[in-house]
Amino acid sequence: ETGVTQSPTHLIKTRGQQVTLRCSSQSGHNTVSWYQQALGQGPQFIFQYYREEENGRGNFPPRFSGLQFPNYSSELNVNALELDDSALYLCASSRDRDQPQHFGDGTRLSIL
Amino acid sequence: GEDVEQSLFLSVREGDSSVINCTYTDSSSTYLYWYKQEPGAGLQLLTYIFSNMDMKQDQRLTVLLNKKDKHLSLRIADTQTGDSAIYFCAESEERDDKIIFGKGTRLHILP
């Protein structure tokens, strides 16, 4: 039990649509990171939020955006979906800087 | 740039020891991790080691770090069928920093 919950577990969208994925962390987890894991690959860092501000971004276009809320939940938004966006999206959170990050079970997004 | 390399497959007989190897390129890596991913599941943090350590043991798991060669290994003693999964080697500069993952090693257990 990691204390990180993601929803939904699975999602099917079509090209050009927009999607919002959600993550809920334990109370006190001020840092949340999002990763994309394509089939057969390791997770790739998308971005991180710390106390509701973006705190680092990987090599992903601006149509990937995020939000973090005061209640320790966060969102990943992806606009203008492309076929290559099909992947498992993972959320990870930790308390400040003294604990390792723990991952949720992810949302599997399929683009048709 | 930052890169983490690991072999893609490993087959081990039940009861034997499994050794999964990994190399990384980032000299600033401070934390080195091993994550386990079972089919359809997220990532489970198995163990991690600080770059100023050579070895860490946790029950059946032993992590060895050769910082000079940037080589990390995970040894699983007495491998069981429940150990069948994909194992990811990963690194970060700080504990809450972005984590750079390898592509994962699929561990297959032979009866």
Side-chain angles (χ1 to χ4, degrees):
Chain A
E1 179 60 49
T2 65
V4 181
T5 305
Q6 293 188 243
S7 63
T9 54
H10 295 86
L11 200 51
I12 299 174
K13 291 284 189 178
T14 57
R15 285 173 56 189
Q17 285 189 309
Q18 179 266 342
V19 70
T20 297
L21 310 182
R22 293 181 172 84
C23 173
S24 176
S25 305
Q26 284 182 337
S27 177
H29 280 214
N30 295 305
T31 300
V32 64
S33 301
W34 286 90
Y35 292 80
Q36 180 196 66
Q37 185 180 16
L39 198 62
Q41 302 293 316
Q44 298 285 318
F45 175 73
I46 302 174
F47 46 56
Q48 183 184 84
Y49 279 78
Y50 177 69
R51 297 191 174 183
E52 302 166 48
E53 297 284 332
E54 189 177 289
N55 185 43
R57 188 177 184 93
N59 190 25
F60 281 81
R63 59 190 184 84
F64 286 77
S65 63
L67 285 171
Q68 186 185 25
F69 302 102
N71 66 352
Y72 307 106
S73 67
S74 65
E75 291 180 354
L76 165 66
N77 298 290
V78 188
N79 294 324
L81 286 165
E82 300 176 1
L83 293 178
D84 284 350
D85 296 333
S86 292
L88 180 68
Y89 288 85
L90 295 160
C91 163
S93 74
S94 63
R95 283 189 318 183
D96 287 324
R97 294 174 184 264
D98 62 348
Q99 296 291 328
Q101 297 178 51
H102 290 276
F103 284 79
D105 284 340
T107 294
R108 187 163 298 281
L109 177 63
S110 299
I111 310 303
L112 305 179
Chain B
E2 306 147 329
D3 197 18
V4 176
E5 298 281 346
Q6 54 184 128
S7 54
L8 296 183
F9 298 99
L10 177 66
S11 290
V12 174
R13 292 209 175 274
E14 189 175 0
D16 287 351
S17 292
S18 307
V19 180
I20 304 172
N21 294 300
C22 164
T23 57
Y24 60 97
T25 58
D26 188 358
S27 300
S28 302
S29 299
T30 304
Y31 298 91
L32 296 134
Y33 309 87
W34 286 102
Y35 284 88
K36 176 183 180 182
Q37 187 174 42
E38 298 185 65
L43 296 173
Q44 175 193 354
L45 176 64
L46 283 178
T47 186
Y48 64 98
I49 189 170
F50 302 117
S51 60
N52 62 358
M53 297 169 65
D54 297 325
M55 185 183 87
K56 181 177 181 181
Q57 189 155 0
D58 184 2
Q59 298 182 340
R60 292 192 297 123
L61 305 179
T62 303
V63 178
L64 294 178
L65 173 61
N66 181 328
K67 192 174 179 181
K68 174 176 169 289
D69 294 338
K70 299 190 182 70
H71 181 270
L72 185 73
S73 68
L74 173 69
R75 177 176 179 269
I76 305 173
D78 187 23
T79 308
Q80 303 297 308
T81 54
D83 295 325
S84 181
I86 300 175
Y87 291 81
F88 290 94
C89 173
E91 60 89 6
S92 68
E93 292 188 16
E94 297 294 336
R95 207 182 313 223
D96 66 339
D97 201 1
K98 66 178 180 182
I99 301 174
I100 307 298
F101 288 86
K103 290 187 177 180
T105 299
R106 184 178 296 273
L107 177 62
H108 178 61
I109 313 303
L110 301 167

